[in-house]
Amino acid sequence: MQFKVRSVGRGEPSVRQQVLEAPDEGALRLRLAQAGQTVLSVQPLAKRWAMPQRAARNRYPVFCREVRTLIQAGMTIVEAVDTLSARAGMEGRSDNLSAELLVRLQQGQALSAALAALPDTPVVLIAAVRAGERTSNLVEALDDYLRYDTLIAQLRRKLVSAAIYPSLVTGLGVAISIFLLMVVMPNFARMYDNLRGPATGRTALMIAISQFMSQHRAEVLIALLLLATALVLWIRSGEAKRLLLRLGQSNAWLRRRIEDFELAMMYQALALLLKGGYPMIEAMTVATQSALSQRLRAALCQARALVERGGAVSQALASAQLCDEVGRRLMAAAERNGDFHVAADVVAQLHGERFELFVERVTRVIEPVLLLSVALMVGAIVITMYLPVFDMATRLR
């Protein structure tokens, strides 16, 4: 539940106004009192739609960039988070992330512990911040996480961009077809009845469908609206993504392409953690928590168990089918020179490039196929309408 709170802290010259979340008003007042804030007023806000998990995760890169900039300018982490929270209050918008972190930091918690207490914080971000706290170089740790997030966001944008154009083409084709059936086709049907009599064959079927849609126009439009709404909710709930993943996993070739994306994320996470000073076993453990598929988690656990028993990292990853021959040789070279984070970063880039190439090739194939399909669908309706006209013109001659 959200509350609009006016409070003042010890030594603060002005009243602070912010929007915070809490189970109830009593818990909120207790939390603010523990943070040294004197509560002036608490006003519950009307319930809004909850922020989707994806949108909640997207706020962390922005937060990291802003905190990194303020720390580089000479602020402490508490001052940086307090500045972000105060700016949000002055702008009249809620920043629950900064507000929650500020309360925990003022209680003496480390930034990594404060982030870990939030339910939607990426595991890799927590590990990167914890590594920065170990080395007293939080700015570099945030930079490493931002590079990791940039790679993953780039791959996701590539996939989303490839899906936008086919979706627009399909939607436009469906809209044109519905317009022809609901508006144009009934007029042609009346002309057929007056000049030629009842239609037969495919034309009769098309006329029957169009007349039904025209007579029940409001019901059809409401049904289409409900169908579109259900489709959007289905996509936003993640069920569409899970269905596509299941379909992709059923095909060996598509499964390898999906694994390229997952392996790019996994190796980039390993590179970030190893660069931050994590030992290989601990880095694998964190990467397991951030893995996408159950198969990848099981394979990484298998590789970690082999490394724990004294096996070579390259052989462990290869036996778990987490790298090809190129990746195995890169990791074997890292075993000699110790630059595991460099090798993991290169392997992540290789898998990322393969996934981007796959998306580009699939897009080049799907786009003309969809255009052709839409053209055939609309063309079939138009031809079905005009064939009787041609027949009538032939008879008049």
Side-chain angles (χ1 to χ4, degrees):
M1 189 173 181
Q2 289 188 334
F3 296 89
K4 184 177 181 180
V5 182
R6 296 178 70 250
S7 63
V8 61
R10 289 190 294 269
E12 294 183 356
S14 59
V15 175
R16 178 184 301 179
Q17 182 173 309
Q18 54 190 333
V19 176
L20 301 176
E21 286 190 1
D24 51 49
E25 182 176 340
L28 179 63
R29 288 182 177 273
L30 177 61
R31 187 177 70 189
L32 291 173
Q34 292 175 346
Q37 296 283 322
T38 301
V39 179
L40 302 179
S41 65
V42 177
Q43 179 181 357
L45 297 179
K47 188 175 181 180
R48 301 176 181 177
W49 289 99
M51 180 184 294
Q53 185 177 8
R54 180 176 59 182
R57 285 178 177 268
N58 287 343
R59 60 185 177 171
Y60 286 100
V62 177
F63 170 79
C64 290
R65 290 188 183 93
E66 293 177 339
V67 167
R68 171 189 173 280
T69 302
L70 294 175
I71 292 176
Q72 277 190 323
M75 289 187 178
T76 64
I77 183 61
V78 177
E79 292 172 341
V81 176
D82 189 21
T83 301
L84 295 178
S85 179
R87 185 191 66 179
M90 293 176 62
E91 294 176 353
R93 59 181 178 85
S94 62
D95 187 357
N96 296 327
L97 174 60
S98 299
E100 289 283 345
L101 288 177
L102 179 61
V103 172
R104 298 180 185 279
L105 291 173
Q106 289 175 340
Q107 292 174 351
Q109 295 184 13
L111 179 59
S112 59
L115 287 170
L118 301 180
D120 56 352
T121 308
V123 178
V124 176
L125 173 59
I126 298 172
V129 171
R130 188 171 290 124
E133 291 170 348
R134 291 176 179 177
T135 60
S136 300
N137 196 344
L138 186 58
V139 172
E140 185 177 356
L142 294 176
D143 283 338
D144 291 339
Y145 173 75
L146 289 173
R147 280 193 293 272
Y148 164 83
D149 181 77
T150 300
L151 173 65
I152 305 307
Q154 180 182 351
L155 295 177
R156 292 184 187 276
R157 280 197 301 269
K158 194 81 173 180
L159 188 60
V160 172
S161 299
I164 288 176
Y165 182 74
S167 302
L168 290 177
V169 170
T170 304
L172 181 60
V174 172
I176 293 174
S177 301
I178 293 173
F179 174 78
L180 291 174
L181 290 173
M182 294 184 66
V183 179
V184 179
M185 196 69 173
N187 295 327
F188 273 85
R190 287 191 291 271
M191 183 183 69
Y192 298 154
D193 291 336
N194 294 333
L195 298 180
R196 190 174 180 271
T200 59
R202 287 174 296 180
T203 304
L205 177 61
M206 195 70 67
I207 289 175
I209 295 174
S210 67
Q211 287 178 340
F212 175 82
M213 295 177 66
S214 179
Q215 293 169 1
H216 303 84
R217 184 171 299 179
E219 292 86 346
V220 171
L221 291 176
I222 291 174
L224 291 173
L225 181 61
L226 291 176
L227 181 62
T229 303
L231 181 62
V232 171
L233 293 176
W234 181 57
I235 294 174
R236 291 179 64 86
S237 67
E239 290 297 328
K241 177 183 176 181
R242 285 187 283 272
L243 176 61
L244 290 175
L245 286 175
R246 286 196 297 270
L247 293 176
Q249 294 291 342
S250 62
N251 181 276
W253 183 76
L254 287 176
R255 182 168 61 249
R256 287 195 295 270
R257 304 290 79 77
I258 295 173
E259 287 178 353
D260 279 330
F261 175 77
E262 296 176 340
L263 289 172
M265 290 188 63
M266 188 198 79
Y267 276 103
Q268 191 65 30
L270 284 175
L272 183 152
L273 297 170
L274 293 170
K275 184 180 179 181
Y278 279 75
M280 179 60 71
I281 300 298
E282 193 172 351
M284 284 183 167
T285 303
V286 176
T288 302
Q289 299 174 22
S290 62
L292 290 178
S293 66
Q294 188 64 35
R295 193 208 73 83
L296 190 63
R297 291 192 185 97
L300 194 55
C301 288
Q302 176 187 343
R304 183 187 63 189
L306 292 175
V307 175
E308 287 175 341
R309 292 197 294 266
V313 175
S314 58
Q315 293 297 331
L317 293 173
S319 63
Q321 298 182 350
L322 292 175
C323 64
D324 54 12
E325 184 61 21
V326 176
R328 188 193 67 80
R329 296 194 178 195
L330 283 169
M331 299 306 290
E335 290 171 350
R336 295 193 299 269
N337 56 37
D339 292 333
F340 277 107
H341 69 280
V342 176
D345 186 62
V346 173
V347 176
Q349 291 180 16
L350 290 175
H351 285 288
E353 290 172 358
R354 290 177 191 170
F355 181 75
E356 289 183 357
L357 182 60
F358 157 70
V359 172
E360 184 178 352
R361 287 178 175 175
V362 169
T363 303
R364 290 181 178 179
V365 174
I366 289 180
E367 287 181 359
V369 170
L370 276 177
L371 283 173
L372 181 60
S373 302
V374 171
L376 290 174
M377 179 175 62
V378 177
I381 297 175
V382 173
I383 291 174
T384 304
M385 288 192 302
Y386 278 98
L387 275 178
V389 176
F390 299 149
D391 183 45
M392 287 185 291
T394 303
R395 291 187 178 185
L396 289 176
R397 289 181 182 177

